[in-house]
Amino acid sequence: MRKKMVAGNWKMNLSSTIAEKFTREIKDKIDTDAVDVVMCVPFVHFNMISEILKDTKIKVGAQNMHYADEGAYTGEISGRMLAAMGVKHVIIGHSERREYFRETDTEVNLKALKALQNNLTPIICIGETSKQRKSGRTFNIIRKQLAFAIDEMSAEDITKVVIAYEPIWAIGTGETATSEQAEEVCALIRKQINTRFGNWSSDNVRILYGGSVTEENAKELFTMPNIDGGLVGGASLKPSFENVVHYDR
Ligand code: 13P
């Protein structure tokens, strides 16, 4: 049985004062063993948030990392540095990084491999644009992005990875994919992993849906057979995140 996961992605939001207040507000409300809960916060808030969450079930994650261990990469932070801080999860290849920072499929793959080397769980994002969906190219795009992202991985590696299907047209738009649309693509992802690595890997890899997840639609999405939880943007900045995590209550 795959354990569900709900990961919040704060993106570049919340001042340290507001982040502290918000984290204190939700920390005792989120209490479940049925779901792995991760809050991916801006790098500068790690220490503070980790301290607040140290005796809770919420883990602190990162939103990006560099694939080199160290070196002349001004402004970057390595997977090794994250691991040394006690971080266990890192979002890789978010569509905003692909779009605004020109991150390529090859870089996404290098980062994911490096995350695994550092015992970090990479939450690898893939997803199509509205134009690609409308022209019937969703499956091809997903197949290609996934193949690149997990290149060079072993059957065991893939069980330590989390894939997040985030259709770009659903991110921050309020236009959530229907549970059928999300399930269809998540099932395709699992099938592709099965074809390449076999049953054990495809049964164990977790596949999340992301894109305008709210407390209202979480249950319908997360109870689909191939959806193992969600990657949540806007709703992870609100007290109602509690209800997304406890979608089953
Ligand atoms: P929203 O939940 O705000 O649509 O963002 C989704 C997302 O990009 C999570 O990584």
Side-chain angles (χ1 to χ4, degrees):
M1 260 306 278
R2 297 180 296 270
K3 189 169 177 187
K4 299 278 181 188
M5 173 182 278
V6 173
N9 175 10
W10 282 6
K11 309 191 179 182
M12 196 173 71
N13 289 299
L14 304 191
S15 67
S16 61
T17 316
I18 296 174
E20 177 177 358
K21 186 165 172 279
F22 175 61
T23 308
R24 288 194 192 284
E25 247 170 66
I26 58 160
K27 81 177 172 84
D28 296 320
K29 297 196 181 128
I30 291 179
D31 183 17
T32 172
D33 291 315
V35 180
D36 280 333
V37 187
V38 184
M39 206 55 121
C40 297
V41 307
F43 293 129
V44 289
H45 296 335
F46 276 160
N47 281 343
M48 175 189 63
I49 308 272
S50 304
E51 183 58 28
I52 300 173
L53 295 178
K54 67 172 187 271
D55 297 319
T56 71
K57 305 243 165 82
I58 312 173
K59 298 186 184 78
V60 184
Q63 300 173 13
N64 180 34
M65 57 171 264
H66 196 275
Y67 51 80
D69 288 329
E70 59 186 16
Y73 300 101
T74 302
E76 291 291 318
I77 290 179
S78 70
R80 184 197 274 178
M81 291 170 175
L82 294 177
M85 292 190 76
V87 170
K88 299 271 185 271
H89 300 80
V90 56
I91 298 173
I92 301 283
H94 192 282
S95 59
E96 287 150 16
R97 295 217 52 90
R98 294 177 190 255
E99 183 181 352
Y100 305 134
F101 304 97
R102 308 268 183 279
E103 229 171 70
T104 64
D105 283 323
T106 307
E107 283 165 338
V108 169
N109 175 242
L110 289 174
K111 289 181 180 200
L113 291 170
K114 185 55 84 170
L116 288 168
Q117 261 182 36
N118 283 291
N119 291 318
L120 298 166
T121 300
I123 302 174
I124 304 174
C125 302
I126 56 179
E128 81 286 2
T129 63
S130 159
K131 195 168 160 211
Q132 288 163 340
R133 175 164 282 266
K134 286 189 182 128
S135 59
R137 286 184 291 151
T138 300
F139 283 16
N140 278 343
I141 295 290
I142 294 296
R143 270 195 214 101
K144 178 174 155 281
Q145 286 181 355
L146 181 64
F148 266 113
I150 64 174
D151 193 28
E152 306 275 320
M153 284 186 194
S154 68
E156 193 187 339
D157 285 340
I158 197 76
T159 65
K160 299 177 185 160
V161 163
V162 175
I163 306 289
Y165 168 54
E166 295 210 311
I168 295 168
W169 48 271
I171 296 178
T173 57
E175 193 191 339
T176 321
T178 63
S179 49
E180 290 76 22
Q181 284 172 323
E183 166 65 16
E184 184 183 40
V185 176
C186 291
L188 174 90
I189 293 170
R190 199 175 303 283
K191 185 152 169 276
Q192 187 171 337
I193 288 170
N194 183 281
T195 306
R196 179 150 161 220
F197 298 104
N199 288 345
W200 179 70
S201 301
S202 64
D203 286 348
N204 283 293
V205 63
R206 286 189 287 186
I207 304 172
L208 311 183
Y209 166 79
S212 298
V213 171
T214 62
E215 58 181 328
E216 283 87 24
N217 58 33
K219 182 167 186 175
E220 196 185 333
L221 288 160
F222 301 172
T223 50
M224 297 304 276
N226 285 291
I227 303 180
D228 303 313
L231 182 55
V232 184
S236 73
L237 298 163
K238 298 183 194 145
S240 59
F241 184 63
E242 175 197 350
N243 301 325
V244 177
V245 172
H246 298 145
Y247 67 92
D248 221 8
R249 293 195 179 159

